[in-house]
Amino acid sequence: MKAETEPKELESDWGELTRELLINILSRLSVEDRWRGTMLVCKSWFSAFKEPSLHSVFDLDPQFDSPLESSRWWNSEFEAKIDSMLQSVVQWTQSSLTQIRIRHCSDRYLALVALRCPNIEVLSIRSCPRVTDDSMSKIALSCKKLRELDISYCYEITHESLVLIGRNCPNLKVLKRNLMNWLDPSQHQGIVPNEYLNACPQDGDDEAVAIANSMPTLEHLEIRFSKLSAKGLNSISQGCPSLEFLDVSGCANLTSRDIANASSSLVHLKEIKKPNFYIPRSVFHTERYGHWSLYDERFQTDIFRI
């Protein structure tokens, strides 16, 4: 009796899949898997990869969300890679692009977004050292559907951009304008260039007034480690009556009395994150959190005038 032969493996030509099926497959993959693998398979895969519907949301944040920040993210070579990806997505999607969450892009390619993507609703560009008021003014004038903006750690953006965004983007509900921890810069040293750390914006009250005067429908505001004073916070509470969430943690120029007075008029406020005025010293390691001893003592003194 002849031995039964092994069944032959079915040979598949992945390049023969229909475009609709390829798009369906690609839509189920992560951004990383799409960019690092599928686009390089063959011409038909690359053609499907450029389908606008696959890129209406361009979100690279998960790639940056790790406990350890990398110093290489802050060099020009890495910025050029992010710019190249952003340029490609803008070219493929045009007006169908509605959400962008990236970091370390440049002024030039953010201006390209303003030029070609008028339907942007969410723009998150944290930690972009070379994004300035120039590109933000173009965003303000062209992307009027903007409802969420995150410009945290973008130190070349000033209060002038906040005014333009507020005046030209009436749907804006969420603003995140957090600064790096200047109370304990050691956590950034060796990663973020020192000259950039030293460029931390000092005009906290100017930014607060810009927000108050131009963003009356704001519902969510984050200004961690802002250097605003009680005057600035009062401006925000008066100018942004619809606030439901407010984060002023790390704002060392504010006392608990300042915050209580300002927030009392915010009738819609559901959550407020305050500076941690009374931090038990035993909670922290002295070598890293030594600044908190001074921070704590300052507010222990202020308790007598609250």
Side-chain angles (χ1 to χ4, degrees), residues 202-226:
Q202 308 294 315
D203 55 347
D205 282 343
D206 288 340
E207 293 195 356
V209 171
I211 292 169
N213 290 343
S214 63
M215 303 178 182
T217 61
L218 209 60
E219 296 177 356
H220 180 117
L221 176 61
E222 297 179 17
I223 47 174
R224 292 195 297 270
F225 293 100
S226 170

Side-chain angles (χ1 to χ4, degrees), residues 119-220:
N119 293 318
I120 288 291
E121 297 179 7
V122 176
L123 180 63
S124 176
I125 50 169
R126 296 166 57 186
S127 303
C128 294
R130 277 169 284 277
V131 167
T132 71
D133 288 337
D134 183 60
S135 61
M136 289 307 300
S137 64
K138 294 180 174 63
I139 290 289
L141 296 174
S142 301
C143 304
K144 299 181 182 295
K145 295 182 180 180
L146 203 63
R147 56 180 173 81
E148 179 178 333
L149 176 65
D150 188 348
I151 50 173
S152 299
Y153 325 125
C154 294
Y155 289 177
E156 293 299 317
I157 297 176
T158 73
H159 67 280
E160 295 179 2
S161 289
L162 295 175
V163 172
L164 285 174
I165 290 289
R167 289 177 178 173
N168 291 280
C169 304
N171 297 324
L172 191 70
K173 302 296 183 184
V174 178
L175 175 65
K176 300 178 183 180
R177 175 53 168 168
N178 302 308
L179 304 182
M180 292 180 183
N181 185 350
W182 51 271
L183 296 169
D184 182 15
S186 63
Q187 68 184 81
H188 306 297
Q189 288 173 350
I191 300 171
V192 182
N194 287 334
E195 62 272 17
Y196 194 66
L197 284 176
N198 296 333
C200 180
Q202 308 294 315
D203 55 347
D205 282 343
D206 288 340
E207 293 195 356
V209 171
I211 292 169
N213 290 343
S214 63
M215 303 178 182
T217 61
L218 209 60
E219 296 177 356
H220 180 117

Side-chain angles (χ1 to χ4, degrees), residues 8 19 46 85 96 110 117 233-234 237-238 267 283 288:
K8 293 183 179 180
R19 178 180 175 86
F46 182 56
M85 294 177 71
S96 65
L110 190 58
C117 305
L233 186 59
N234 283 329
S237 66
Q238 294 168 14
V267 297
V283 172
R288 181 170 183 183

Side-chain angles (χ1 to χ4, degrees), residues 19-289:
R19 178 180 175 86
E20 291 73 18
L21 186 55
L22 282 174
I23 292 172
N24 185 285
I25 292 172
L26 296 179
S27 68
R28 301 168 188 271
L29 301 179
S30 67
V31 171
E32 182 177 10
D33 286 338
R34 288 185 208 163
W35 282 85
R36 291 188 174 181
T38 57
M39 65 181 293
L40 305 176
V41 173
C42 60
K43 288 183 178 180
S44 61
W45 280 63
F46 182 56
S47 176
F49 172 77
K50 294 190 292 182
E51 164 64 30
S53 64
L54 294 175
H55 305 283
S56 60
V57 174
F58 184 46
D59 185 3
L60 294 185
D61 261 2
Q63 312 305 315
F64 292 98
D65 288 337
S66 62
L68 299 176
E69 188 174 15
S70 173
S71 59
R72 71 182 182 88
W73 295 347
W74 292 86
N75 63 44
S76 56
E77 290 78 12
F78 186 81
E79 182 183 89
K81 293 179 180 179
I82 298 296
D83 282 346
S84 178
M85 294 177 71
L86 181 58
Q87 180 185 24
S88 296
V89 169
V90 168
Q91 290 175 341
W92 298 333
T93 60
Q94 299 290 334
S95 60
S96 65
L97 186 59
T98 60
Q99 297 185 32
I100 295 177
R101 290 185 176 89
I102 57 175
R103 304 183 195 181
H104 302 282
C105 69
S106 71
D107 233 21
R108 177 182 177 185
Y109 289 96
L110 190 58
L112 183 64
V113 170
L115 179 65
R116 299 190 179 183
C117 305
N119 293 318
I120 288 291
E121 297 179 7
V122 176
L123 180 63
S124 176
I125 50 169
R126 296 166 57 186
S127 303
C128 294
R130 277 169 284 277
V131 167
T132 71
D133 288 337
D134 183 60
S135 61
M136 289 307 300
S137 64
K138 294 180 174 63
I139 290 289
L141 296 174
S142 301
C143 304
K144 299 181 182 295
K145 295 182 180 180
L146 203 63
R147 56 180 173 81
E148 179 178 333
L149 176 65
D150 188 348
I151 50 173
S152 299
Y153 325 125
C154 294
Y155 289 177
E156 293 299 317
I157 297 176
T158 73
H159 67 280
E160 295 179 2
S161 289
L162 295 175
V163 172
L164 285 174
I165 290 289
R167 289 177 178 173
N168 291 280
C169 304
N171 297 324
L172 191 70
K173 302 296 183 184
V174 178
L175 175 65
K176 300 178 183 180
R177 175 53 168 168
N178 302 308
L179 304 182
M180 292 180 183
N181 185 350
W182 51 271
L183 296 169
D184 182 15
S186 63
Q187 68 184 81
H188 306 297
Q189 288 173 350
I191 300 171
V192 182
N194 287 334
E195 62 272 17
Y196 194 66
L197 284 176
N198 296 333
C200 180
Q202 308 294 315
D203 55 347
D205 282 343
D206 288 340
E207 293 195 356
V209 171
I211 292 169
N213 290 343
S214 63
M215 303 178 182
T217 61
L218 209 60
E219 296 177 356
H220 180 117
L221 176 61
E222 297 179 17
I223 47 174
R224 292 195 297 270
F225 293 100
S226 170
K227 298 187 177 183
L228 84 169
S229 68
K231 178 182 177 181
L233 186 59
N234 283 329
S235 297
I236 290 174
S237 66
Q238 294 168 14
C240 306
S242 299
L243 277 179
E244 298 178 1
F245 178 91
L246 176 62
D247 188 347
V248 291
S249 54
C251 296
N253 295 331
L254 300 175
T255 67
S256 57
R257 181 180 182 178
D258 298 332
I259 295 172
N261 288 341
S263 60
S264 63
S265 62
L266 296 172
V267 297
H268 300 288
L269 194 63
K270 298 177 181 177
E271 182 179 357
I272 180 169
K273 293 189 175 181
K274 308 175 184 179
N276 203 339
F277 296 133
Y278 309 108
I279 301 176
R281 291 173 174 80
S282 60
V283 172
F284 299 102
H285 296 293
T286 304
E287 66 273 15
R288 181 170 183 183
Y289 296 96

